[in-house]
Amino acid sequence: MKVAIISGSVYGTAEEVARHAVNILKAAGFETLHNPRASLADVLAFEPQAFLAVTSTTGMGELPDNLQPLYSMIRDQLPAAWRGLPGAVIALGDASYGDTFCGGGEQMRELFSELGLREVQPMLRLDASETVTPEADAEPWLAELVSVLR
């Protein structure tokens, strides 16, 4: 199965989690596409069979700047070929921001819903105020994702 990993990061933590997800998915036999600067054309050419979004949250619950262009391109085109594919989201944030905690992840969930992707497991919320090892904290969730996608 081909899994496109869409990621956005402010300080690099979400990119580290995304790279860790790549390693876990590849070790499980999945083919992955992860390029933080990927265009919609790159993702379409990969012909994904599943999606994973890994994003931090910035400002007042927004997506990081490096994810905004791809997010906008996908939202503008809403590729019909992706309807019904499995999707999942890992969101990074800081719970001290209250209502905007993991807002970037919520935006990706909404986009996935608009695309008609099937959310195959609940969004993982990683709280920067509680963890210093988000890659390790994501491992059990990623192991479950591998099982679900098989």
Side-chain angles (χ1 to χ4, degrees):
M1 177 178 275
K2 297 166 87 174
V3 182
I5 301 173
I6 298 170
S7 64
S9 194
V10 177
Y11 299 111
T13 306
E15 294 306 327
E16 288 299 319
V17 174
R19 282 192 286 273
H20 195 61
V22 166
N23 293 335
I24 289 171
L25 290 167
K26 281 186 175 181
F30 294 95
E31 186 178 341
T32 62
L33 168 73
H34 175 246
N35 175 353
R37 289 169 292 288
S39 69
L40 178 56
D42 296 330
V43 180
L44 288 168
F46 178 67
E47 298 179 349
Q49 298 166 306
F51 286 86
L52 171 62
V54 182
T55 186
S56 58
T57 301
T58 188
M60 295 301 297
E62 293 130 16
L63 291 168
D65 288 344
N66 69 320
L67 183 51
Q68 283 288 352
L70 179 58
Y71 173 87
S72 295
M73 284 186 275
I74 292 171
R75 190 163 208 183
D76 289 346
Q77 294 196 20
L78 295 174
W82 298 350
R83 184 163 301 284
L85 296 179
V89 178
I90 297 175
L92 289 81
D94 187 325
S96 67
Y97 284 86
D99 291 345
T100 62
F101 174 56
C102 291
E106 290 295 346
Q107 286 186 43
M108 290 306 299
R109 283 184 73 217
E110 289 171 16
L111 177 63
F112 281 6
S113 178
E114 289 175 32
L115 287 166
L117 298 182
R118 292 180 294 110
E119 186 174 53
V120 294
Q121 68 188 77
M123 182 171 73
L124 175 62
R125 298 170 190 271
L126 296 172
D127 185 353
S129 66
E130 292 184 1
T131 184
V132 294
T133 57
E135 307 89 36
D137 293 347
E139 286 179 2
W141 187 93
L142 287 165
E144 186 176 328
L145 180 63
V146 165
S147 294
V148 168
L149 292 178
R150 286 196 168 143

